[in-house]
Amino acid sequence: MYTQLKHELYKLNHRKLPWIIITLMLFFMIIIGLAMGRTYSNLLVMTCYDSSTIIMLILVIVGSTIFSMEFQYGTIIPLIYRSSSRSAVFFAKFITLFLYDFVLHIAAMILTVLLNIVPIINAPVFWAAIYKYHQPLVVNMFMNTGVDLITSTLIISLICLTSCLINSNTVVIAINALIIFMGSDLSSSLLLAHVGPSSIVRWNPFNMLNLTTQYYNYATYHVTSMLSNAQLLTGTLCYTVVFLLLAYWAFSRKNF
């Protein structure tokens, strides 16, 4: 699998889109900073200017080129023939997307620091100030980034699954974008509609998308999710494994 991973990383590194699109993340972060104002300086720093959503959207766009576009145009076929196994191809693509996700989160933190060196759109912050969970602000930023990395890995597993089930790049992007923007609201609707016991319905996969937002705004989102941070974390990890295994199952049985 090392050879396949090296090949996937090489392809990702030599594509212009994955790196140019990071400028979109910077633009989004600046817009969020301007929209929220200087009153929420600490919260903006903790959440890296609410970069979670844009990172997920970037993963959907780039991830679709890694998976579904290769299915759509048949370029996956020579990869499988040259590889020792389908599992090597699949997990090389998954690891590549995860590493790109990690890079995006590091970039978001770096951009956050840069935006606060000269606080034009944000009020100056004291990085050692105690903020959420009785932790320094800088620790809050690292912890929130780690939590969001787990949430975005759930999205990656969904990208893998939908890409292995649907060959159309456009459809894969549309479905996952809808999940990102509407998943949390859909979970809330299911709980409010009382379609089943809330103790069971609250464990639906869409509810796990609340993990990051609940971590930095527990009082508001705990009422909506009906789960604790630890429960959301457990559910997110479990669903990530389940979706990833289903994606591999679909990939291994896919006809090319």
Side-chain angles (χ1 to χ4, degrees):
M1 189 177 71
Y2 173 77
T3 302
Q4 293 299 321
L5 179 58
K6 185 178 179 181
H7 181 64
E8 291 295 332
L9 290 173
Y10 177 85
K11 289 194 298 183
L12 179 67
N13 188 46
H14 285 77
R15 286 175 180 158
K16 293 181 180 180
L17 177 65
W19 309 114
I20 293 176
I21 208 169
I22 291 181
T23 58
L24 178 63
M25 181 171 69
L26 173 61
F27 176 76
F28 179 84
M29 291 169 66
I30 292 174
I31 293 299
I32 289 295
L34 292 172
M36 293 185 66
R38 301 167 75 88
T39 306
Y40 298 95
S41 298
N42 287 347
L43 182 62
L44 286 170
V45 168
M46 178 180 178
T47 62
C48 292
Y49 289 77
D50 197 22
S51 57
S52 175
T53 302
I54 189 63
I55 287 177
M56 290 182 186
L57 288 175
I58 291 172
L59 288 172
V60 169
I61 295 170
V62 175
S64 66
T65 65
I66 292 178
F67 274 97
S68 57
M69 279 191 70
E70 293 206 353
F71 296 145
Q72 188 172 341
Y73 295 108
T75 53
I76 191 72
I77 298 175
L79 288 178
I80 293 176
Y81 282 137
R82 288 197 300 264
S83 177
S84 58
S85 65
R86 287 196 176 195
S87 61
V89 175
F90 176 83
F91 286 105
K93 289 181 177 295
F94 169 76
I95 294 173
T96 297
L97 197 51
F98 175 79
L99 291 175
Y100 181 62
D101 182 23
F102 182 79
V103 170
L104 288 175
H105 280 87
I106 295 298
M109 286 195 293
I110 293 173
L111 291 172
T112 298
V113 173
L114 293 176
L115 288 172
N116 282 274
I117 291 177
V118 183
I120 298 175
I121 65 172
N122 194 4
V125 297
F126 181 49
W127 291 89
I130 302 301
Y131 191 48
K132 301 284 187 176
Y133 302 101
H134 305 289
Q135 297 172 336
L137 181 59
V138 63
V139 175
N140 284 157
M141 183 180 70
F142 278 103
M143 291 296 293
N144 191 76
T145 298
V147 169
D148 191 58
L149 189 62
I150 295 172
T151 308
S152 56
T153 304
L154 173 62
I155 294 298
I156 292 175
S157 68
L158 282 170
I159 295 169
C160 295
L161 178 57
T162 52
S163 294
C164 291
L165 294 174
I166 305 168
N167 288 341
S168 173
N169 178 52
T170 304
V171 174
V172 169
I173 292 176
I175 289 175
N176 286 287
L178 285 173
I179 290 174
I180 291 171
F181 284 113
M182 301 180 62
S184 179
D185 291 335
L186 178 58
S187 174
S188 299
S189 298
L190 289 173
L191 289 168
L192 292 174
H194 302 291
V195 295
S198 60
S199 58
I200 296 176
V201 178
R202 64 181 179 171
W203 289 97
N204 73 82
F206 299 112
N207 201 12
M208 305 307 144
L209 297 175
N210 288 311
L211 176 60
T212 300
T213 49
Q214 180 167 305
Y215 182 75
Y216 66 75
N217 195 353
Y218 185 86
T220 300
Y221 284 90
H222 174 61
V223 177
T224 302
S225 71
M226 299 185 185
L227 293 173
S228 66
N229 287 346
Q231 289 173 322
L232 282 176
L233 176 62
T234 302
T236 301
L237 292 172
C238 290
Y239 275 116
T240 299
V241 173
V242 169
F243 291 149
L244 190 60
L245 291 176
L246 287 174
Y248 174 66
W249 177 82
F251 182 83
S252 63
R253 285 159 177 76
K254 196 175 184 68
N255 293 321
F256 300 107

